[in-house]
Amino acid sequence: MKMRIVPIGDQATLGDHRHYPGARLLLVCSLCGWDKAYRAERVIDRLRELKSGGHATRLEQVARRVAWNCPGCGRVKWRCHFAWPPGFDDREAKRLANLYRN
């Protein structure tokens, strides 16, 4: 099963992950479709460690910052999205939202 991409547009920032409980940052190769999911908090921490971004960093900037070659095709052309894992449903989203809120 594939991850479901959250349709929020091009101007999304890393800090927007709080509005989508359970969503992961999905890094996708634009050329071959290879993908890998990360926790958004981990990416934010790494950008802060490098002193090159944080919560306000747009997803397109994150994709441009990835410098390693794609394991699938060996080229470098990335895009980023927020996506929910397979099997993630509305009931689980509500449960996580209540957990975070309380």
Side-chain angles (χ1 to χ4, degrees), residues 12-59:
T13 64
L14 282 173
D16 292 340
H17 78 278
R18 294 171 288 181
H19 301 292
Y20 306 98
R24 299 290 185 137
L25 181 69
L26 186 66
L27 182 65
V28 181
C29 176
S30 297
L31 302 171
C32 73
W34 184 90
D35 61 3
K36 181 160 172 85
Y38 294 94
R39 283 186 14 250
E41 295 90 2
R42 178 179 174 210
V43 175
I44 291 169
D45 290 344
R46 180 66 178 149
L47 288 173
R48 284 187 175 165
E49 199 175 283
L50 297 171
K51 294 182 174 44
S52 63
H55 288 282
T57 306
R58 291 195 323 240
L59 295 183

Side-chain angles (χ1 to χ4, degrees), residues 21-22 88-102:
F88 192 82
D89 59 357
D90 292 334
R91 196 173 84 208
E92 181 67 10
K94 287 179 185 175
R95 185 189 74 78
L96 287 175
N98 287 335
L99 182 71
Y100 297 149
R101 183 176 52 224
N102 295 332

